Amino acid sequence: MVQQVNFNDASLKPMDAVQNQAQLQILQQQASKAAESVQSFNDVLQTTVNQGTALKFSAHAKDRLGMRNINLSAADVSRMTDAVNKAAAKGAKQSLLVMNNLAFIVSVTNRTVITALDDSNMKENVFTNIDSAVIV
């Protein structure tokens, strides 16, 4: 409980006023630290939320992209992220994304591209363990 003290009160002795001023400064410092920790929590929360929406590529997917000379632009990754968001909104867990004659198997739950195929590697392939497909 914080008690408000009027330092102009004639009933206070000079020593009481000094102690009350020191207590007030301590309370202000504690309030400032509490406010900083709230801001820090907000920053951490926002960072976590932003990371949760970013699309990641597994080591296997990165290898396949390099091996198959697949280069994705920032716009491509953005379109893929939007497709994953749509799949997530529908409750998908594992999805096949088809975009620009490329196919990607994506863990929607983990927001991770698992593998990538170009058009020559897609032919006559059977995609298993997926619960959705998104044509981008």
Side-chain angles (χ1 to χ4, degrees):
M1 180 173 167
V2 177
Q3 180 180 0
Q4 187 172 359
V5 177
N6 181 358
F7 292 109
N8 295 327
D9 189 347
S11 66
L12 288 176
K13 297 176 187 166
M15 190 58 156
D16 290 339
V18 169
Q19 287 175 342
N20 287 332
Q21 183 66 33
Q23 288 175 341
L24 179 62
Q25 286 175 342
I26 290 170
L27 289 173
Q28 287 173 334
Q29 288 171 350
Q30 289 172 343
S32 176
K33 285 180 184 178
E36 287 173 10
S37 68
V38 169
Q39 182 61 38
S40 296
F41 174 78
N42 287 335
D43 291 343
V44 169
L45 178 62
Q46 189 60 45
T47 300
T48 303
V49 167
N50 291 340
Q51 287 176 346
T53 60
L55 194 59
K56 300 171 281 203
F57 289 80
S58 70
H60 176 79
K62 288 177 185 176
D63 289 344
R64 293 296 178 261
L65 289 169
M67 188 168 67
R68 295 176 175 144
N69 294 321
I70 300 171
N71 296 310
L72 298 172
S73 67
D76 291 334
V77 174
S78 177
R79 288 174 54 207
M80 292 172 65
T81 301
D82 290 343
V84 171
N85 290 340
K86 288 177 185 177
K90 297 286 185 177
K93 304 282 186 237
Q94 293 272 104
S95 190
L96 168 68
L97 298 183
V98 180
M99 177 181 78
N100 301 339
N101 297 322
L102 301 171
F104 304 91
I105 302 295
V106 179
S107 168
V108 176
T109 308
N110 297 327
R111 307 192 62 76
T112 303
V113 177
I114 297 169
T115 194
L117 299 106
D118 57 11
D119 57 352
S120 63
N121 288 298
M122 279 192 290
K123 292 181 177 147
E124 298 187 31
N125 260 332
V126 175
F127 298 98
T128 60
N129 298 326
I130 61 169
D131 59 15
S132 59
V134 182
I135 312 301
V136 182

